[in-house]
Amino acid sequence: MIAVLVVLNGRLFWVQVAASRNLTKHHIDLVENSVIQREKGIVLDSGRGDFFDRSGIRLTGKKLSVLTVFPVSHYFPENKKETEDEMRMAQILNVSFEDWSRYIVDLKSPQVWSIAGHPVELSEQQIQQIQALQLPHTAVTQLKQRYNSEPIASQLIGFIGQNPERITRQFTDQFHSGELQLTSEIGGSGLEKSFEPWLQGIGSTSVSLFTDAKRNPLSGLATRIFSPQNDYYPIKVMTTLDAGIQQKVEQIMYKLQVKEGAVVVLDTENADVVAMATQPYFDPEHIDLEKGTWSNKALKAVAPGSIFKTVTAAAALEEHAASLEETFECDGELGKYGLTCWKKDGHGTLTLEEGYAQSCNIVFAKIAARLDGEKLNEYANKLGLGVQVGWQGDLMEQKDFREWDAEEQGQVFSADTPRQDGGVKAQTSIGQRDVLVTPLQAANMVVTLLHEGKVSSPRIVKELRFGNDRVMDTLAPKGVDGLPPSIAPGTAKLLLSWMQNVVDHGTGRGLKKASWPLAGKSGTAQVINKQGEEKVNQWFIGYGPVDKPRYAVAVLVQNMEPDQKNTSIPLFNQVMDALAQQTQ
């Protein structure tokens, strides 16, 4: 018996000491696993990096003070004091004691106290009162909420979600090393997707309650916070957005009841995106992939209508297809190809400059007949259309990295279109037929003219920072590579002055009462929707203030009824007024 006891004591010593130091052949730490069995935890922060605006205002990852509740053995108070404490907790949370008791009884795993599925943020007074109670199965914790309850720039930032196929295909190394699981959430669209390699954290932050076998809290352990404790992570993605302007633009779109469309605001100095708003509304916490509200319409190419006349005018001036003194007659119809002017009675006698201000289709169709079809495509490229203009370059170990997710390049002609056909050129010259332009390209074309024809590459992210704000890498302003030689500075200057005429006595006269003196170009494109119905896209692009341009703006209101009142000009006006107010 003594020999047996010695063997058993030896084995017990081995289990308690040797096995706890991973000396077993299976490398199992029994002490660690015994603790895990007693641990009931919940993740408070996934460790994913966050987005900030140009001033450091947080766009994602808001921290909430919340109540974390753990399941314990005695689901209902066993004595008078415990009952009073639980009743007091119910009062603090502004719920009935019955509802609070039912919540505790039904609890099977740690949960953050929520109402209607949304975590409840505690006030300072509630925090003090809860901490004074010292209930062993509750803890006041900091929950990092990925998206705000009313997120801004949601289509631009995008969403995260599970995508096992993409994890195994794109992030093979992280998957095999265990850094990512098949159930891990990764960026599904927008900046969440394009900056995924840097957003991935190095570990989550969790809070745990340690209990015994009967699920009673262990004395001396209670609740503990577990965190990677690394000053360099999570990464901060510093965008070029202005959160205040972004919010105002979204409010204006809602106020004007824009059901479908986009607004892009660029800094004229470097083409940085100050605001980019899209309708319809998108909630990144509730994603309907088929409905498509997550799609960023500012990056989607659609028919531009008469804003494309800026390209035709540039080609006409530089190719000497028309002189500034030459006049054209418009009686409302071209006489062929079925092309008419928006003004049924015609504009009468017009110069090219006046034709631009009045957006006369007949003037531009007649000029297109003198141009080579390839020239229309070439000058569109010169002005940054028909190509992806978003920032592209080397970022750390990634070559030719693109900031923008799913940016479309648009087009002037489709692949099989006869570019020398007269009817094709006539329709193309006024931004119809095959022509497709994104709102980002349209706003950037205005910046291109302000930069004397040099095409800038719009940024949305300017730098990556470590968690301690030390700069990881910078995405410096740059131009678009691979374009034809730019238009002459004189041509750019002339077109900018013609944009002033549009507001002074042309189709943009409704902007004369704006807070700033403005300039721009209107556009209305006829389109056929998926149901085969005729609709129109309403555009306005421009800049302001005229004397010292600070912002270039493109607005698009999509799929409007042909007889509906123009919304693009009031939208452009109110956005510019908001910008003027913001800069006072």
Side-chain angles (χ1 to χ4, degrees):
M1 289 183 65
I2 292 174
V4 170
L5 289 174
V6 169
V7 171
L8 290 176
N9 278 318
R11 178 59 178 169
L12 181 61
F13 174 81
W14 175 261
V15 169
Q16 290 182 321
V17 180
S20 69
R21 288 172 170 78
N22 283 326
L23 295 178
T24 62
K25 64 178 181 179
H26 297 293
H27 301 289
I28 298 174
D29 191 324
L30 297 182
V31 172
E32 178 182 345
N33 279 271
S34 68
V35 172
I36 291 173
Q37 286 181 330
R38 301 193 300 267
E39 177 187 347
K40 299 294 182 181
I42 184 171
V43 174
L44 301 173
D45 180 356
S46 68
R48 187 174 179 83
D50 287 304
F51 297 97
F52 297 79
D53 86 339
R54 58 172 55 189
S55 300
I57 297 175
R58 184 180 288 274
L59 301 175
T60 59
K62 179 181 178 182
K63 292 186 177 181
L64 307 178
S65 295
V66 297
L67 178 67
T68 300
V69 187
F70 300 89
V72 290
S73 60
H74 58 284
Y75 291 122
F76 200 78
E78 295 179 342
N79 57 54
K80 182 178 180 181
K81 183 181 183 307
E82 287 184 346
T83 301
E84 291 176 350
D85 287 345
E86 299 292 353
M87 293 179 68
R88 178 60 182 149
M89 176 64 80
Q91 291 176 350
I92 294 171
L93 298 176
N94 298 314
V95 295
S96 67
F97 178 60
E98 290 75 16
D99 288 343
W100 174 245
S101 301
R102 189 180 308 112
Y103 179 79
I104 297 174
V105 169
D106 295 340
L107 205 60
K108 297 295 186 285
S109 62
Q111 299 288 337
V112 170
W113 172 249
S114 304
I115 295 179
H118 298 286
V120 176
E121 186 173 11
L122 302 175
S123 66
E124 285 298 326
Q125 183 179 9
Q126 286 177 310
I127 292 172
Q128 294 175 6
Q129 293 172 337
I130 291 172
Q131 290 176 336
L133 280 178
Q134 295 184 331
L135 292 180
H137 62 95
T138 65
V140 175
T141 56
Q142 290 286 307
L143 175 68
K144 192 174 180 181
Q145 192 176 36
R146 185 63 189 169
Y147 305 111
N148 297 336
S149 55
E150 296 182 359
I152 63 172
S154 54
Q155 286 93 346
L156 171 60
I157 291 174
F159 66 88
I160 58 175
Q162 294 182 1
N163 192 329
E165 187 274 333
R166 192 164 141 245
I167 286 177
T168 56
R169 172 175 48 83
Q170 186 176 348
F171 302 103
T172 308
D173 292 342
Q174 290 96 318
F175 174 65
H176 288 307
S177 67
E179 295 176 22
L180 288 178
Q181 310 297 324
L182 291 179
T183 55
S184 297
E185 290 189 325
I186 59 174
S189 72
L191 297 179
E192 293 276 27
K193 183 177 180 181
S194 53
F195 284 86
E196 174 65 32
W198 296 276
L199 291 169
Q200 294 174 13
I202 59 171
S204 61
T205 297
S206 62
V207 59
S208 296
L209 176 69
F210 293 91
T211 62
D212 60 18
K214 295 182 179 181
R215 292 200 293 181
N216 291 312
L218 286 174
S219 178
L221 286 178
T223 57
R224 289 190 178 184
I225 301 290
F226 296 90
S227 175
Q229 297 296 323
N230 189 312
D231 292 339
Y232 290 93
Y233 291 89
I235 295 298
K236 296 180 178 181
V237 180
M238 311 304 296
T239 72
T240 61
L241 287 179
D242 184 307
I245 293 176
Q246 176 73 30
Q247 192 169 33
K248 286 185 178 180
V249 170
E250 293 182 359
Q251 290 171 350
I252 292 169
M253 294 184 77
Y254 178 79
K255 177 183 175 183
L256 292 177
Q257 299 181 344
V258 177
K259 295 181 180 179
E260 192 174 353
V263 175
V264 177
V265 180
L266 300 183
D267 187 325
T268 57
E269 182 179 349
N270 51 18
D272 280 354
V273 176
V274 178
M276 179 177 280
T278 293
Q279 282 289 354
Y281 173 77
F282 166 63
D283 182 356
E285 295 285 6
H286 301 87
I287 305 158
D288 187 337
L289 294 177
E290 293 184 1
K291 195 173 182 180
T293 56
W294 55 272
S295 178
N296 187 352
K297 292 185 178 297
L299 304 178
K300 302 304 175 185
V302 298
S306 293
I307 66 169
F308 190 80
K309 290 173 181 174
T310 306
V311 173
T312 308
L317 292 170
E318 300 232 322
E319 296 298 319
H320 307 291
S323 67
L324 296 178
E325 296 78 20
E326 183 179 2
T327 58
F328 302 83
E329 292 297 325
C330 170
D331 59 7
E333 294 184 1
L334 181 63
K336 51 185 175 180
Y337 312 130
L339 192 144
T340 61
C341 190
W342 65 268
K343 190 175 183 180
K344 294 182 179 179
D345 298 333
H347 289 98
T349 304
L350 297 168
T351 62
L352 176 56
E353 179 179 354
E354 291 167 342
Y356 186 85
Q358 300 300 331
S359 199
C360 177
N361 291 344
I362 306 305
V363 170
F364 282 86
K366 289 180 177 180
I367 287 175
R370 307 174 184 178
L371 290 169
D372 186 296
E374 293 294 342
K375 288 296 180 182
L376 288 172
N377 190 74
E378 178 184 336
Y379 278 88
N381 291 165
K382 285 175 180 280
L383 293 174
L385 305 185
V387 296
Q388 291 178 317
V389 295
W391 196 97
Q392 177 184 1
D394 297 341
L395 180 60
M396 300 179 67
E397 72 278 2
Q398 289 207 19
K399 302 295 182 182
D400 295 325
F401 169 76
R402 293 184 181 276
E403 284 193 357
W404 300 93
D405 171 47
E407 178 196 359
E408 295 182 355
Q409 70 177 33
Q411 66 180 21
V412 178
F413 300 102
S414 61
D416 56 351
T417 298
R419 302 185 180 190
Q420 305 306 330
D421 181 83
V424 169
K425 290 193 294 181
Q427 290 288 337
T428 302
S429 70
I430 61 174
Q432 291 285 171
R433 193 176 169 92
D434 301 335
V435 186
L436 299 174
V437 174
T438 71
L440 178 63
Q441 290 172 331
N444 197 53
M445 180 170 66
V446 178
V447 176
T448 297
L449 296 176
L450 290 168
H451 284 214
E452 300 183 331
K454 297 178 181 178
V455 184
S456 300
S457 188
R459 292 186 304 175
I460 183 58
V461 171
K462 58 182 180 178
E463 63 183 17
L464 300 178
R465 295 182 186 175
F466 290 108
N468 58 8
D469 280 327
R470 180 180 175 182
V471 175
M472 173 188 281
D473 205 349
T474 300
L475 295 84
K478 64 189 297 291
V480 178
D481 300 326
L483 297 181
S486 61
I487 63 173
T491 302
K493 185 176 180 181
L494 187 59
L495 290 173
L496 290 172
S497 68
W498 288 8
M499 287 185 173
Q500 295 177 37
N501 295 338
V502 170
V503 175
D504 182 66
H505 57 271
T507 55
R509 289 189 298 273
L511 298 169
K512 294 182 71 172
K513 294 183 180 180
S515 300
W516 274 342
L518 304 175
K521 182 71 186 80
S522 61
T524 303
Q526 296 175 335
V527 296
I528 303 297
N529 67 10
K530 294 180 180 179
Q531 289 73 39
E533 302 167 329
E534 184 178 337
K535 302 288 184 179
V536 295
N537 292 337
Q538 299 175 354
W539 288 82
F540 201 91
I541 63 173
Y543 63 96
V546 167
D547 53 342
K548 193 176 181 180
R550 297 190 60 175
Y551 299 103
V553 175
V555 304
L556 165 65
V557 184
Q558 281 184 267
N559 293 320
M560 299 285 282
E561 296 296 333
D563 58 351
Q564 273 186 283
K565 187 177 180 180
N566 188 290
T567 304
S568 63
I569 291 178
L571 176 57
F572 183 87
N573 192 346
Q574 292 191 32
V575 168
M576 278 297 190
D577 283 352
L579 293 169
Q581 183 180 11
Q582 188 81 5
T583 55
Q584 285 179 353

